[in-house]
Amino acid sequence: MVVVMAPGATEEQIARVTERVEETGGQAFVSRGVTRTIIGLVGDIESFHGLNLRVMPGVQDVYRISDPYKLVSLQHHPERSTVHVGREGHEVAIGPDTFTFIAGPCAVETAQQTLEAAEMAKAAGARLLRGGAFKPRTSPYAFQGLGVKGLEILADVREVTGLPIVTEIVDARDVKIVAEHADMLQVGTRNMANFGLLQAVGECGKPVLLKRGMTSTIEEWLMAAEYVAQRGNLDVVLCERGIRTFEPSTRNTLDISAVPVVQATSHLPVIVDPSHAGGRRDLVVPLSRAAIAVGADGVIVDVHPDPENALCDGPQALFGAELRALAQAVRQLPKAVGRR
Ligand code: PEP
Ligand code: MN
């Protein structure tokens, strides 16, 4: 942490700052420039926060230098992580060496629809099946998902297809039942800052897919991941799914630069959701190509056997020619960027 003193700060004010820092067991290194003095602090950053240095006389500003997250930071873990999802011996890797294709319906609607979507996903090369049993809908009047019945359908479809399941958790009270059925728990954009839920999934013993809050900064997103990690679960995969901007032609704006920005500061894998980012079927293939090129560790995509009659997010669901185009892209392009 660095304290920048105002240009006219007195020696007494500088001394007062260094004393307060030393009182909490920290060290203060004063460096005097021509017009102003800066003080570098070394020690426990959380205790420095409690000092309210910013309001002390003569202080102009206080800057944090190190990352506020620790467990998910590359500083504390210089190797990029690989997260393994699924039954022992049959795990699917998500990490720096592979490109992992995840697909499935937005929502589990019926056993038949889920099985058909899973078969479409598998035929296209998907290694994991997505599908929401508990749906976090903006409107309370919209389809809320089948709940536990949906989890059972997903588990049955896993038996048939062999694809491990990632499904969303929207309430900390459901962690046990969801973790019993699913291979990976998804925390969606609307719950990224639900800290109780993050702590609960941090204790569930299953990998977590943490989507970026639609109005969250990358730092807030990594702090959310830190909540999960702090409870002992380092198997966290981040998912960039688009952020809210002023642009109305897409559902959200895919922040493609979030991928390399995260990779420069965190060891966690990061994937892209082009379906919820663009909200449009015609954008899923081009945005997936962009995700591969920028270095994402995978994509998660909506597919549906009958998008016109889907109960959730039909306009962005792939089928037919577009799904075949995506299958081709995920088969061919990752090799060009050195991935399996
Ligand atoms: C989803 O993946 O079904 C979903 C609701 O996504 P998001 O949280 O990104 O909106
Ligand atoms: Mn959806």
Side-chain angles (χ1 to χ4, degrees):
M1 205 174 241
V2 171
V3 178
V4 178
M5 301 302 291
T10 64
E11 282 302 321
E12 206 183 355
Q13 289 168 339
I14 295 167
R16 190 69 205 110
V17 171
T18 58
E19 275 163 31
R20 290 211 69 178
V21 169
E22 284 162 7
E23 275 160 24
T24 66
Q27 290 173 284
F29 297 91
V30 178
S31 90
R32 289 180 170 77
V34 180
T35 53
R36 69 171 87 225
T37 295
I38 64 170
I39 308 172
L41 311 192
V42 176
D44 176 22
I45 206 149
E46 298 310 325
S47 63
F48 296 154
H49 277 305
L51 297 178
N52 282 324
L53 296 171
R54 205 179 290 268
V55 300
M56 288 183 69
V59 171
Q60 180 166 319
D61 228 326
V62 177
Y63 296 98
R64 168 165 213 143
I65 305 292
S66 59
D67 297 332
Y69 36 86
K70 302 199 167 7
L71 301 170
V72 306
S73 165
L74 210 46
Q75 284 176 3
H76 296 258
H77 191 299
E79 294 274 293
R80 293 200 49 215
S81 295
T82 298
V83 171
H84 299 277
V85 183
R87 266 189 306 135
E88 228 182 300
H90 295 84
E91 295 107 334
V92 174
I94 307 177
D97 303 327
T98 46
F99 183 83
T100 308
F101 179 23
I102 307 171
C106 178
V108 174
E109 299 167 19
T110 65
Q112 182 62 22
Q113 166 259 5
T114 307
L115 180 61
E116 283 178 35
E119 278 168 347
M120 290 165 68
K122 189 172 179 181
R127 305 286 315 282
L128 289 173
L129 175 66
R130 61 146 290 147
F134 293 94
K135 294 302 300 176
R137 304 305 296 275
T138 301
S139 165
Y141 304 112
F143 175 58
Q144 303 288 308
L146 299 182
V148 175
K149 174 81 192 128
L151 296 176
E152 287 164 4
I153 291 174
L154 286 167
D156 290 345
V157 169
R158 174 179 50 205
E159 282 305 305
V160 179
T161 61
L163 296 176
I165 293 158
V166 52
T167 195
E168 187 158 353
I169 172 94
V170 299
D171 190 319
R173 291 171 294 189
D174 299 327
V175 166
K176 188 165 176 285
I177 184 92
V178 177
E180 273 167 20
H181 289 79
D183 300 285
M184 182 179 219
L185 274 59
Q186 174 176 325
V187 175
T189 194
R190 292 164 188 79
N191 273 308
M192 187 214 81
N194 182 340
F195 302 118
L197 182 62
L198 296 171
Q199 288 170 332
V201 297
E203 290 168 2
C204 79
K206 290 276 167 87
V208 175
L209 181 64
L210 178 61
K211 289 191 148 194
R212 178 178 181 181
M214 63 181 93
T215 58
S216 299
T217 64
I218 291 171
E219 184 174 299
E220 287 163 344
W221 185 21
L222 291 170
M223 289 304 274
E226 187 82 6
Y227 263 94
V228 180
Q230 198 220 8
R231 292 291 165 128
N233 190 351
L234 269 172
D235 288 331
V236 181
V237 174
L238 300 165
C239 177
E240 162 59 41
R241 49 78 70 202
I243 51 175
R244 279 215 169 150
T245 69
F246 50 81
E247 176 52 58
S249 59
T250 49
R251 186 174 175 182
N252 294 281
T253 298
L254 178 61
D255 180 9
I256 198 76
S257 55
V259 174
V261 170
V262 164
Q263 288 171 346
T265 181
S266 173
H267 59 89
L268 299 180
V270 55
I271 69 169
V272 167
D273 179 344
S275 307
H276 290 83
R280 285 169 37 181
R281 182 172 304 128
D282 62 319
L283 299 180
V284 175
V285 174
L287 295 181
S288 298
R289 291 196 188 111
I292 298 167
V294 84
D297 301 314
V299 283
I300 180 165
V301 170
D302 284 6
V303 301
H304 198 289
D306 181 14
E308 271 184 38
N309 292 304
L311 295 180
C312 185
D313 288 349
Q316 68 195 31
L318 294 193
F319 67 109
E322 269 123 344
L323 183 55
R324 286 194 290 279
L326 180 64
Q328 191 183 17
V330 297
R331 215 172 33 245
Q332 294 176 344
L333 301 183
K335 290 192 201 101
V337 292
R339 296 200 181 233
R340 283 189 267 117

